[in-house]
Amino acid sequence: MDSALLSLLGAFLLSMIGLFAFIWSLRKGLLVENPRAASVIFAKGEIGRVDDPALQGSDHAKLQAAAHEAGDSTDGADAAEIADRVAADRSSAFPVFMFIAFACMWLLFGGIAGLVSSLKLHWPDWLVSEAWMTFGRLRTVHLTAVLYGWITNAELGIIIWLMPRLLRTPLVGTMWLMLGGALVNIAIASGIGAIGAGWTDGLEYLEMPWPIGIFFAAGMVCIIGPVLYTLVNRKTESLYVTTWYHTAGLLWITLLFIVGKMPGVHFGVQQAAMNWWYGHNVLGLWFTPVAVGAIYYFLPKIIARPIRSYNLSLLGFWTLAFFYAQVGGHHLVGGPVPGWLITLSIVQSMMMIVPVIAFSINMGLTLRGRMRLGLYSPTLRFVMFGGIMYLLSSLQGSFEALRSVQQVAHFTHFTVAHAHLGAYGFVTMVLFGAIYFMMPRILHFEWPYPKLISVHFWLASIGILIYFVFLSYGGWLQGLAMLDPARPFIDSVVVTMPWLQWRSVGGALMVASHVVFVLHFLAMVLRLGPNRVGAALFADQGKALGVAHGE
Amino acid sequence: MENEVKLTTGVVVTFAIAVSALVVLPYMQVRDVKPPEGLKPYTSAEQRGRAVYIANGCMYCHSQQPRSESFAPADAKRGWGRASVPGDYYYDKPHLLGSMRTGPDLLNIGVRQPSKDWQLGHLFQPRAYVPESIMPSYPYLFEIKDKADPDEETVNLPPAHVPPGKVVVARPEALDLVKYLQSLKRNYPILPPEPRDTTGAPAAPAAPDAAKPAGSS
């Protein structure tokens, strides 16, 4: 056996041993369910009391009525714990608002850049007179704006909002968070400007020039500090699932970015291997864990039932940590990189089925018989949609990594469709749901036009489904045409045309949903629209906090 | 889980394993790769052209990694060249392997389409040469004027694509880019890959040959 194969086997075995070691070290009551740990997101007496801040009074009552189950306690929630939560929310409101506002701006901007790029693929002579408008730059502007601008800002906002809530302690180091947020967004804005002007590092997902990347990394370090300090100073004994994912995600993205951006180290095909390891893991170790962590909080919180199995979530977390990080090499299948590298990534891609199934079983059991609550709460609908898309996109991704599938799918729009199912159908939809939940708590003001939340949901979900289904089909046809030596290459271009046009239709719906969302957000921030409860809410401060926190 | 130290340690350990496997090991395996004899370093004009290629994002639609005949036979049949090896990228900083083939692979475009006129004209208006192409046109790499200056390069286009009474001249970026494209030639011979990298492909046919005389004698 040669050294490459040995190292491959070594990495795999090490992961397995590490996995079992970690689970074993946390074995206390591993086989006994731990409902107390699963319930830490609720105050005493709060289980059974639904919580969707995006719903107005009467709709909230309907959701409550629908969620009622025999045996629910009728006592109020523990006032001291609610007071802790109010203090936690108040401590984080300002920085979280900053991150969410930046995220909304980048979403609108990045979505439009994406739609224009999509249109350019079937109108190739449209907007070509200036260099910054060309497809190669505009698609990269889109990618940087949505991945770093929208998803990263929104996830940072969610992490910072949930940490103090889950740890029952006020956030410390707010000024550092504001500084970090400023640095991160300076980096994103300068990165986008640089790409438009043609200054890029040229590596997919890592285009932001490295001198600008320093600002991003510095910003992330400023953010990690206060988050870890809050973690150490917590009042709760047990750490909830969401906290694991969010702490891990923050550390991973920072390390990942620093390793990936290190100037002058990577070269040739090794750089290509690193590039795709980064590209896959910015999704796997940052977007996914934070969005999964958010589902673990918001879904049970809205329906007011703890997750079914705390231990299953433990298994899901550690398997994700050990398997996902070694994925990415399979993006170079058939390329000039060592074969063992690709095999390792394919094996770990298949292993990723374990955490995905663990998550899905857990959520499925938690939601069993309660799916209909989605009819009453658009926020819940966003989160549920995201959870289902996580299952689908991850299973698709595992099988897509296989050599036989990649033979066709590699180098085609099929991969693009898959990436959007993950980043939009799953992550972005969860982020939308989380923002609808958080904003009324942050601003102490209701969403002014609750009907728009449903409009947003339907536009976005129909948009992404059109995008995914049609583009996947077109991409598959493209792959078959490309693989057939008897057909000229241009066939693989011509065959995609109708599907590229459908992609623009789906993209237009998604952008329309963003316009609705961002205008609604602005209306809320500017306190426009019908002033239903606002006046009463602020007339009586004691009651105001009660209303705002589910009392 | 109650312990934040266990949590952060575990997180960093998993990350360290992944970096070792997917970043450090490939680094050690390919750091001693030598440039093949037939591969020349890029000239400064080619290097400038490469920068134009990167700045305009050509790599998002064009890969530079023909695959092996066993995995994707069409690649070689389309004239895209033999499967590439790590040495082919010795002078490539950053790498431009690419992940999409909205357009064809370009690692050997200098062999397949060496004509400067074709390349310049195709950059100005791809649909003048390939009607179904969806490649963007790059008018900003050119200038349309009444008369070319003596030191300027006029682009020879099919007549329908030149405004009447005008000439299209290439800007230096376009000329550099074409020089880079013409330099993309990985058609020199390479030593067969070491057997350990091919998971038995050359070793398998060799084995029966070696076994035959032993069996017959």
Side-chain angles (χ1 to χ4, degrees):
Chain A
M1 209 179 323
D2 58 74
S3 63
L5 204 60
L6 273 176
S7 50
L8 167 72
L9 209 64
F12 184 72
L13 284 179
L14 209 59
S15 308
M16 294 304 282
I17 294 168
L19 176 63
F20 284 111
F22 267 98
I23 293 185
W24 179 78
S25 79
L26 303 160
R27 70 198 174 283
K28 196 166 73 184
L30 196 61
L31 297 172
V32 187
E33 259 316 326
N34 193 347
R36 200 174 53 82
S39 306
V40 292
I41 62 170
F42 300 105
K44 211 171 291 155
E46 209 187 10
I47 292 175
R49 304 174 72 85
V50 296
D51 187 9
D52 179 359
L55 289 179
Q56 49 186 119
S58 61
D59 289 333
H60 201 273
K62 277 188 212 155
L63 175 65
Q64 180 64 65
H68 183 78
E69 287 175 22
D72 282 351
S73 117
T74 47
D75 308 339
D78 185 283
E81 291 191 44
I82 295 288
D84 273 354
R85 191 184 298 163
V86 172
D89 281 1
R90 196 177 290 152
S91 71
S92 64
F94 193 38
V96 175
F97 175 71
M98 177 190 71
F99 281 108
I100 301 298
F102 271 125
C104 289
M105 179 188 83
W106 291 123
L107 173 73
L108 196 60
F109 173 80
I112 292 169
L115 178 59
V116 174
S117 308
S118 171
L119 290 167
K120 281 160 94 56
L121 275 180
H122 48 91
W123 298 339
D125 287 313
W126 182 53
L127 298 181
V128 289
S129 58
E130 301 289 332
W132 64 268
M133 300 171 176
T134 197
F135 175 83
R137 295 194 191 181
L138 209 55
R139 78 164 278 297
T140 312
V141 166
H142 159 67
L143 182 130
T144 309
V146 294
L147 293 194
Y148 294 98
W150 154 244
I151 300 183
T152 298
N153 270 305
E155 292 200 332
L156 287 171
I158 292 170
I159 292 175
I160 293 164
W161 194 69
L162 285 179
M163 277 289 170
R165 257 194 170 217
L166 289 165
L167 305 171
R168 294 196 185 150
T169 179
L171 186 67
V172 288
T174 311
M175 285 322 288
W176 286 102
L177 290 168
M178 304 295 287
L179 176 66
L183 286 171
V184 163
N185 281 285
I186 286 170
I188 296 163
S190 337
I192 288 174
I195 291 161
W199 179 30
T200 159
D201 275 1
L203 302 181
E204 216 165 329
Y205 288 72
L206 282 166
E207 284 94 351
M208 183 187 288
W210 69 263
I212 294 175
I214 293 174
F215 286 80
F216 187 85
M220 293 304 287
V221 171
C222 291
I223 292 165
I224 288 179
V227 170
L228 288 186
Y229 199 69
T230 308
L231 182 67
V232 174
N233 287 318
R234 69 180 185 273
K235 284 190 194 154
T236 50
E237 192 204 331
S238 159
L239 294 174
Y240 185 62
V241 189
T242 304
T243 314
W244 321 336
Y245 278 108
H246 286 181
T247 311
L250 261 186
L251 292 174
W252 279 329
I253 181 62
T254 310
L255 294 170
L256 197 60
F257 189 83
I258 291 171
V259 171
K261 270 269 159 256
M262 201 81 78
V265 176
H266 309 290
F267 64 94
V269 294
Q270 180 271 332
Q271 189 179 40
M274 182 285 295
N275 191 177
W276 280 109
W277 169 75
Y278 178 89
H280 207 101
N281 278 311
V282 76
L283 244 141
L285 295 183
W286 173 232
F287 301 161
T288 301
V290 181
V292 166
I295 296 178
Y296 266 110
Y297 181 81
F298 291 109
L299 194 140
K301 190 81 181 80
I302 295 171
I303 67 170
R305 306 287 160 194
I307 49 161
R308 182 59 183 272
S309 167
Y310 184 81
N311 295 336
L312 205 52
S313 58
L314 206 57
L315 175 79
F317 175 75
W318 287 113
T319 45
L320 180 132
F322 278 98
F323 299 143
Y324 221 150
Q326 295 171 33
V327 172
H330 61 288
H331 282 264
L332 289 160
V333 67
V337 292
W340 63 263
L341 180 82
I342 295 163
T343 309
L344 173 67
S345 282
I346 295 175
V347 170
Q348 303 296 33
S349 287
M350 289 311 282
M351 294 305 285
M352 269 305 294
I353 292 177
V354 176
V356 172
I357 295 294
F359 165 87
S360 302
I361 292 177
N362 210 351
M363 288 302 155
L365 289 176
T366 309
L367 272 173
R368 193 164 60 180
R370 297 168 182 145
M371 292 286 278
R372 75 207 141 77
L373 295 180
L375 296 173
Y376 301 90
S377 161
T379 315
L380 179 61
R381 213 143 63 209
F382 272 110
V383 177
M384 275 164 43
F385 186 94
I388 294 167
M389 290 305 141
Y390 174 51
L391 171 67
L392 294 182
S393 66
S394 300
L395 289 183
Q396 187 201 14
S398 291
F399 288 98
E400 201 176 333
L402 296 174
R403 279 194 170 82
S404 50
V405 182
Q406 284 218 66
Q407 209 172 10
V408 179
H410 194 33
F411 294 134
T412 72
H413 292 293
F414 191 86
T415 316
V416 180
H418 169 66
H420 281 80
L421 186 66
Y424 199 96
F426 159 41
V427 175
T428 295
M429 293 299 264
V430 172
L431 300 182
F432 285 145
I435 291 173
Y436 280 122
F437 189 103
M438 296 183 336
M439 287 313 295
R441 297 281 190 256
I442 293 166
L443 294 179
H444 287 286
F445 199 74
E446 291 196 344
W447 287 98
Y449 305 99
K451 288 219 164 45
L452 289 183
I453 303 179
S454 263
V455 174
H456 175 198
F457 176 80
W458 291 112
L459 282 173
S461 52
I462 295 173
I464 184 63
L465 290 178
I466 290 178
Y467 185 112
F468 173 72
V469 172
F470 290 104
L471 196 64
S472 297
Y473 184 66
W476 193 258
L477 293 181
Q478 180 192 12
L480 290 176
M482 207 186 302
L483 209 59
D484 183 354
R487 299 170 70 177
F489 178 80
I490 194 70
D491 269 17
S492 75
V493 177
V494 173
V495 81
T496 57
M497 286 309 286
W499 316 109
L500 291 179
Q501 287 158 356
W502 273 109
R503 185 248 294 263
S504 294
V505 172
L509 290 177
M510 286 146 76
V511 169
S513 84
H514 303 163
V515 172
V516 170
F517 169 62
V518 175
L519 287 180
H520 199 187
F521 178 84
L522 276 179
M524 183 183 195
V525 173
L526 302 173
R527 314 241 144 156
L528 302 174
N531 207 352
R532 284 184 314 274
V533 294
L537 201 113
F538 290 101
D540 177 1
Q541 197 60 33
K543 184 173 179 286
L545 294 174
V547 169
H549 291 273
E551 262 293 86
Chain B
M1 195 170 354
E2 279 102 41
N3 190 333
E4 67 273 9
V5 178
K6 259 184 210 171
L7 172 69
T8 45
T9 313
V11 163
V12 175
V13 166
T14 59
F15 185 81
I17 295 176
V19 173
S20 324
L22 279 98
V23 180
V24 178
L25 271 182
Y27 182 92
M28 295 187 336
Q29 200 169 356
V30 298
R31 76 179 149 186
D32 299 326
V33 166
K34 296 274 174 292
E37 270 179 32
L39 184 67
K40 301 271 168 299
Y42 297 109
T43 66
S44 58
E46 288 162 4
Q47 205 58 273
R48 285 197 304 271
R50 198 166 190 272
V52 175
Y53 186 97
I54 294 168
N56 291 291
C58 304
M59 62 281 193
Y60 299 117
C61 292
H62 295 284
S63 60
Q64 291 194 10
Q65 43 166 328
R67 294 176 289 180
S68 69
E69 294 223 41
S70 57
F71 188 68
D75 284 21
K77 298 233 166 61
R78 295 190 197 287
W80 293 354
R82 60 168 167 77
S84 57
V85 295
D88 291 334
Y89 305 95
Y90 187 83
Y91 300 109
D92 283 17
K93 280 177 191 150
H95 86 90
L96 295 174
L97 264 62
S99 59
M100 276 293 278
R101 282 182 181 169
T102 310
D105 192 275
L106 294 183
L107 193 64
N108 285 295
I109 187 67
V111 181
R112 199 157 78 239
Q113 186 46 277
S115 157
K116 181 179 176 186
D117 278 348
W118 189 93
Q119 292 290 5
L120 282 173
H122 185 257
L123 284 170
F124 181 74
Q125 180 46 275
R127 276 154 294 286
Y129 301 81
V130 187
E132 301 95 340
S133 168
I134 57 169
M135 177 170 142
S137 44
Y138 292 93
Y140 59 86
L141 297 178
F142 298 86
E143 245 176 292
I144 297 176
K145 37 169 50 179
D146 295 329
K147 192 172 156 295
D149 284 330
D151 59 341
E152 284 180 329
E153 183 105 25
T154 308
V155 183
N156 295 316
L157 281 158
H161 294 274
V162 189
K166 304 269 185 182
V167 293
V168 176
V169 299
R171 291 195 167 144
E173 302 96 289
L175 293 171
D176 288 338
L177 177 56
V178 170
K179 282 195 183 113
Y180 169 64
L181 292 174
Q182 288 173 319
S183 80
L184 286 173
K185 289 179 193 167
R186 265 71 166 186
N187 55 345
Y188 44 80
I190 45 153
L191 293 172
E194 294 163 56
R196 67 193 179 97
D197 282 345
T198 56
T199 46
D209 289 347
K212 212 177 273 172
S216 59
S217 63

